[in-house]
Amino acid sequence: MVKICCIGAGYVGGPAMAVMALKCPSIEVTVVDVSRRRIDAWNSDRLPVLEPGLDAVVRACRGRNLSFSADVDRHVAGADIVFVSVNTPTKSRGLSAGRAPDLAYWESAARVIAASSADRTKIVVEKSAVPVRTAEAMERILLAHAGGDGAAAFQVLSNPEFFSEGSAVRDLLRPDRVVIGGRDPGAVRALREVYAHWVPSDRIVSMGLCSAELSKLAASAFLAQRVSSANAISALCEATGADVSEVTRAVGGDGRVGGGCSHLSSGVGFGGPSLAKDVLHLAYACEANGLPEAAEYWRQVVAVNEYQKGRFVRRVVASMFGTVAGKKVAVLGFAFKAGVADARESPAADVCRGLLADGAHVSVHDPAVSERQIRRETAAVAKEKARVARDAYEAAEGAHGVCVLTAWEEFGALDYRRIFDGMRRPAFVFDGRGVVDVGKLREIGFVVYAVGKPLDPWLKGLPAVA
């Protein structure tokens, strides 16, 4: 039986290995992590990752050919293929802080593999989003530990993951492509054979190591660029009376742009743990390779995203007569996207912090994000922290305004007449995700601002910036 070990039981490693175990019953898959708490969660009935369908996949495989363990050294030593799926955050201090990736976790994993593999050859697979040429650095570490014979003992591949949070299981079961980068044909073939259990051969794409590493950062950057482009257009739509959904539908119909309207919808901004990080790491790679103009281009993609979040906050404050001090503002949605419980780098957190800093009383409701995470993400910006409500109606009771910041379906189906009756007048709704029926809410009596839509008559003539 082939044995696979994955170092890192996070948002990527856990789901990816669970699906691999499901589709490869003849392969033994073990996910290891130094965090005992995280491993215990994977072995419990309440998984640490909220993904539709993931519970069923884990239950089907756990105890059969899928296991989770904190005994990192033992399982790495016994594996034939080792995936590395550890965090690569942006450096928070030291040289190039705020720009360069922090590879401390990655290097630690490489050294664990080297120290635990004295008597066994291995295929080592990068699963994390890493800078270009990280595989070469990993090869050097493994070679040094092998006493100069590491090239024969280890083969390093790049196999970046492209699934999207909220649809991870679906994406992993039916990937549009699997990228495998490597130099050794035998190692590439071995990993192809694993994926061939369920992925059609024409969707398994082999390429060079550097190309595979760069493909992950480039995919994130191209996606972020599309979102930022739509958001930049949304500001002009509001200023001119155009409708951003109509504009992006026309643009998306052009095959040269990519076809369809996917990821061309505007909103309060993109978020999540990887998108902005990957773009900034790509910008840093350009800078480090003497390409300052290319680096600045990609940084502007992130800068437009920051502008969009700030623009939303300024519109809220300006619409409410230039101040939110002492006013209650309900925030519906805190996750960075619908379908996940993840609030890392959520635009909602930035909006909440902006409102709190301006003196608002913020009441948050999200159906999936924990109260602990909401409080942590909004701490240290004002004396008063955000309050957490049990439901949308409690959050909006007595509020001057409601901000819809995550596209949960339930927010579109709320009884807005009930919400209106419990709010102060004038009652404002600020839709950052295209969730509400603008016409119906205006009929009820709300003053409605929706990103990229023609302005409410109430708002025309008022400044867009407080």
Side-chain angles (χ1 to χ4, degrees):
M1 177 178 280
V2 174
K3 292 184 177 182
I4 288 177
C5 178
C6 177
I7 300 176
Y11 282 81
V12 174
M17 294 301 109
V19 169
M20 187 171 288
L22 179 72
K23 290 298 185 178
C24 305
S26 61
I27 293 177
E28 181 181 315
V29 180
T30 303
V31 183
V32 298
D33 201 290
V34 294
S35 171
R36 170 66 70 176
R37 180 178 179 182
R38 184 176 295 173
I39 291 298
D40 289 344
W42 280 106
N43 285 318
S44 72
D45 293 329
R46 188 172 182 177
L47 303 183
V49 174
L50 175 64
E51 283 289 343
L54 183 59
D55 283 351
V57 172
V58 172
R59 282 197 301 269
C61 303
R62 196 171 56 196
R64 185 192 71 185
N65 68 323
L66 174 66
S67 60
F68 299 90
S69 173
D71 192 349
V72 177
D73 293 342
R74 180 170 69 88
H75 289 288
V76 169
D80 303 297
I81 302 174
V82 179
F83 286 86
V84 180
S85 181
V86 296
N87 194 18
T88 53
T90 303
K91 291 179 68 174
S92 59
R93 59 184 181 180
L95 295 176
S96 302
R99 306 190 336 269
D102 186 344
L103 297 178
Y105 297 116
W106 160 83
E107 183 173 342
S108 176
R111 294 184 183 280
V112 166
I113 295 169
S116 304
S117 307
D119 301 321
R120 195 182 185 104
T121 60
K122 282 185 175 39
I123 297 172
V124 180
V125 185
E126 296 175 334
K127 201 66 174 168
S128 309
V130 295
V132 182
R133 294 185 172 172
T134 298
E136 294 179 0
M138 180 175 281
E139 286 174 335
R140 291 191 182 98
I141 291 175
L142 298 174
L143 179 65
H145 277 260
D149 194 31
F154 300 101
Q155 294 296 334
V156 179
L157 304 178
S158 176
N159 175 220
E161 191 51 69
F162 297 97
F163 71 70
S164 181
E165 276 194 57
S167 59
V169 173
R170 183 186 66 200
D171 295 345
L172 287 162
L173 288 172
R174 294 181 293 277
D176 50 18
R177 80 285 200 201
V178 171
V179 170
I180 301 174
R183 297 191 184 91
D184 182 75
V188 172
R189 184 168 56 252
L191 189 54
R192 285 184 66 97
E193 289 173 356
V194 172
Y195 282 107
H197 282 79
W198 80 98
V199 181
S201 60
D202 61 343
R203 295 190 181 183
I204 306 174
V205 184
S206 301
M207 60 184 66
L209 264 178
C210 292
S211 296
E213 290 174 326
L214 184 55
S215 67
K216 169 60 177 175
L217 299 183
S220 294
F222 277 48
L223 171 57
Q225 186 270 339
R226 287 170 69 92
V227 176
S228 284
S229 294
N231 284 337
I233 291 297
S234 73
L236 185 58
C237 286
E238 293 168 24
T240 60
D243 187 323
V244 71
S245 61
E246 295 175 348
V247 174
T248 55
R249 184 166 66 249
V251 172
D254 189 329
R256 296 169 299 174
V257 179
C261 297
S262 178
H263 301 298
L264 277 177
S265 57
S266 65
V268 71
F270 60 73
S274 62
L275 204 56
K277 179 195 73 172
D278 287 353
V279 179
L280 290 174
H281 288 179
L282 179 62
Y284 179 76
C286 293
E287 178 186 298
N289 283 278
L291 305 169
E293 293 83 3
E296 184 58 24
Y297 173 82
W298 292 117
R299 288 198 185 98
Q300 283 303 309
V301 170
V302 177
V304 169
N305 190 56
E306 296 303 310
Y307 160 75
Q308 185 77 345
K309 291 182 287 186
R311 190 172 74 84
F312 187 89
V313 173
R314 291 191 292 272
R315 175 65 78 174
V316 172
V317 176
S319 300
M320 297 172 71
F321 314 107
T323 180
V324 292
K327 297 176 181 177
K328 181 180 179 181
V329 180
V331 169
L332 304 185
F334 201 82
F336 80 87
K337 64 185 288 188
V340 304
D342 193 352
R344 290 177 294 174
E345 300 298 323
S346 171
D350 287 303
V351 171
C352 285
R353 287 191 288 263
L355 295 172
L356 286 166
D358 210 56
H361 303 305
V362 176
S363 181
V364 181
H365 169 67
D366 188 282
V369 180
S370 69
E371 179 174 347
R372 179 181 178 183
Q373 189 169 7
I374 291 171
R375 292 189 180 280
R376 183 174 66 243
E377 294 291 336
T378 58
V381 295
K383 291 182 179 179
E384 181 178 344
K385 298 179 181 179
R387 300 171 185 175
V388 180
R390 292 171 296 179
D391 57 36
Y393 302 106
E394 179 184 312
E397 181 65 33
H400 293 77
V402 173
C403 298
V404 184
L405 300 180
T406 307
W408 291 102
E409 287 187 10
E410 65 187 69
F411 295 156
L414 293 171
D415 183 348
Y416 280 96
R417 167 61 68 179
R418 174 183 169 186
I419 289 176
F420 179 79
D421 289 343
M423 289 178 63
R424 302 289 185 89
R425 301 292 187 272
F428 295 88
V429 169
F430 303 93
D431 185 2
R433 292 299 181 192
V435 171
V436 306
D437 185 322
V438 174
K440 287 184 177 180
L441 264 61
R442 286 177 180 161
E443 288 178 4
I444 291 172
F446 286 103
V447 178
V448 183
Y449 164 78
V451 170
K453 300 290 185 179
L455 291 180
D456 191 297
W458 174 281
L459 300 176
K460 289 182 178 179
L462 292 177
V465 179

